[in-house]
């Protein structure tokens, strides 16, 4: 995905890190880069808002169930694969 405008941080890089951003797992430098990009790029902001809503919905309805340790990486790998397929 790209809005067609030049950014210091590429749209794909931002979207690849959005779940880590939502989970507070990034360095302060990466957090600042993503915030700046989201302020500049409405398509990425919409994707971020969607991912944030999905994460909140999952947490609300599945927050009490134990999650297998490898599930997060499997989900993120699948998301990356779908994004790659859509980019082709």
């Amino acid at each position: 995905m790209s809005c067609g405008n030049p950014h210091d941080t590429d749209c794909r890089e931002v979207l690849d890190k959005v779940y880590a951003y939502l989970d507070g797992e990034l360095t302060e430098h990466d957090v600042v880069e993503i915030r700046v990009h989201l302020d500049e790029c409405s398509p990425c902001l919409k994707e971020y808002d969607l991912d944030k809503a999905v994460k909140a919905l999952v947490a609300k309805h599945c927050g009490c169930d134990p999650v297998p340790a490898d599930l997060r990486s499997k989900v993120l790998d699948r998301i990356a694969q779908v994004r790659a397929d859509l980019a082709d």
Side-chain angles (χ1 to χ4, degrees), residues 1 12 82-88:
M1 170 192 289
R12 182 166 299 285
V82 169
R83 284 189 179 141
D85 292 345
L86 290 173
D88 290 340

Side-chain angles (χ1 to χ4, degrees), residues 33-74:
E33 282 186 346
I34 289 175
R35 283 184 188 154
V36 167
H37 185 95
L38 293 175
D39 286 344
E40 299 173 344
C41 184
S42 62
C44 286
L45 181 59
K46 287 178 186 175
E47 181 73 23
Y48 163 79
D49 286 341
L50 176 62
D51 292 345
K52 184 177 176 182
V54 167
K55 184 171 176 56
L57 182 64
V58 169
K60 179 179 178 181
H61 294 286
C62 303
C64 299
D65 298 333
V67 178
D70 64 337
L71 178 61
R72 183 175 191 274
S73 77
K74 287 180 182 179

